[in-house]
């Protein structure tokens, strides 16, 4: 199993551009989530999904959209990037929402200029 | 979810036990204590969890006080590769979203 994969590893955007951060898992996990991590801070939850077709907001959802059309994929969309969205983004998955262990991807480092 | 308090940083000598404390004085009866760690630039990694009994696995031990208001993660023989930020998280086992709320964590430096 590849586990949780994220692409790209690095990305630079200009203010106002849009892009999609990709997240995929091959463990048939129902639960997937997106976090962002800013320098010197812990991780903050952006959006999560408890199964295909079901998504919900986390702590910091503004400026981000998600959808979950398949079990494997959970893309994060930035519709109009802002400098405040410069961060490292982590995707995570677990077998279900009550599972004890979540598996994290390697992260995408995004810079918005 | 209950809030946790951890020291911002700790040092430990290689080969010695690292004891990382966490205060969670507002924990509810149905909330578990989880520990994750994040090695520099990598995604967080699950370590261990517990409800009220002490727990041990191949990575660490978790000691939870009888009143459940605090806990200690123990790495019995710390190595340089254990240098990381350690997060203590409290959440219900059956919360609606399965979400983890990360605090600031403790930055553990293991020194030779």
């Amino acid at each position: 199993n590849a586990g949780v994969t994220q692409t790209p590893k690095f990305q630079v955007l200009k203010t106002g551009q849009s892009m999609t951060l990709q997240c995929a898992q091959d463990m048939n996990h129902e639960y997937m989530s997106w976090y962002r991590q800013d320098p010197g801070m812990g991780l903050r939850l952006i959006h999560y999904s408890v199964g295909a077709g079901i998504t919900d907001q986390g702590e910091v959802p503004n400026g981000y959209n998600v959808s979950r059309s398949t079990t494997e994929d959970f893309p994060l969309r930035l519709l109009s990037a802002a400098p405040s969205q410069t961060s490292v983004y982590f995707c995570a998955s677990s077998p279900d929402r009550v599972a004890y262990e979540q598996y994290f991807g390697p992260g995408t480092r995004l810079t918005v200029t | 979810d209950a809030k946790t308090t951890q020291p911002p940083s700790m040092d430990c000598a290689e080969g010695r036990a690292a004891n990382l404390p966490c205060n969670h004085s507002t924990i509810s009866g149905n909330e578990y204590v989880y520990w994750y760690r994040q090695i520099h630039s990598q995604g967080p990694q699950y370590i261990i969890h517990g409800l009220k009994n002490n727990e041990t696995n191949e990575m660490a031990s978790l000691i939870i006080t009888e009143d459940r208001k605090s806990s200690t993660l123990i790495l019995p023989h710390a190595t340089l590769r254990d240098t990381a930020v350690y997060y203590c998280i409290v959440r219900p086992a059956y919360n609606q979203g399965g979400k983890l709320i990360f605090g600031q964590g403790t930055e553990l430096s293991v020194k030779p």
Side-chain angles (χ1 to χ4, degrees), chain A residues 31 35 37 40-43 45 48 50 57-59 90 97-102 104-106 109, chain B residues 32 34 36 38 41-44 46 49 87 91 93-104:
Chain A
Y31 180 85
Y35 295 83
Q37 185 172 36
M41 296 184 69
L43 284 79
L45 182 66
Y48 63 94
V50 298
Q57 297 181 349
E59 301 173 84
F90 291 99
R97 65 187 177 197
V98 301
Y100 300 122
E101 181 174 358
Q102 291 193 21
F104 284 80
R109 188 173 295 273
Chain B
Y32 282 70
Y34 295 80
Y36 279 73
Q38 186 176 23
S41 297
Q42 298 181 22
Y46 166 84
H49 75 280
Y87 295 99
R91 73 154 230 216
Y94 298 100
N95 71 326
Q96 192 67 25
K99 7 179 222 218
L100 296 172
I101 306 296
F102 287 80
Q104 301 282 348

Side-chain angles (χ1 to χ4, degrees), chain B:
Chain B
D1 294 353
K3 183 178 168 146
T4 62
T5 304
Q6 300 177 251
S9 63
M10 293 182 63
D11 290 340
C12 178
E14 188 178 19
R16 304 297 294 269
N19 297 283
L20 293 93
C22 180
N23 187 296
H24 32 80
S25 58
T26 59
I27 192 170
S28 301
N30 67 342
E31 288 182 317
Y32 282 70
V33 180
Y34 295 80
W35 284 83
Y36 279 73
R37 74 179 181 183
Q38 186 176 23
I39 296 170
H40 181 63
S41 297
Q42 298 181 22
Q45 176 190 25
Y46 166 84
I47 301 173
I48 198 167
H49 75 280
L51 182 63
K52 55 183 177 181
N53 297 321
N54 298 339
E55 302 288 345
T56 295
N57 63 20
E58 65 279 3
M59 289 183 69
S61 295
L62 174 60
I63 309 297
I64 302 174
T65 58
E66 193 167 343
D67 64 8
R68 304 208 323 121
K69 293 185 177 182
S70 65
S71 60
T72 301
L73 178 75
I74 301 172
L75 307 179
H77 305 286
T79 70
L80 299 179
R81 286 178 293 181
D82 292 322
T83 292
V85 178
Y86 288 77
Y87 295 99
C88 170
I89 300 164
V90 172
R91 73 154 230 216
Y94 298 100
N95 71 326
Q96 192 67 25
K99 7 179 222 218
L100 296 172
I101 306 296
F102 287 80
Q104 301 282 348
T106 295
E107 185 165 9
L108 176 68
S109 296
V110 181
K111 300 183 185 301

Side-chain angles (χ1 to χ4, degrees), chain A residues 8-13 17 19-21 108-112:
Chain A
K9 286 189 187 300
F10 302 94
Q11 182 71 48
V12 178
L13 288 179
Q17 287 185 316
M19 81 158 295
T20 300
L21 306 186
T108 293
R109 188 173 295 273
L110 176 68
T111 301
V112 182

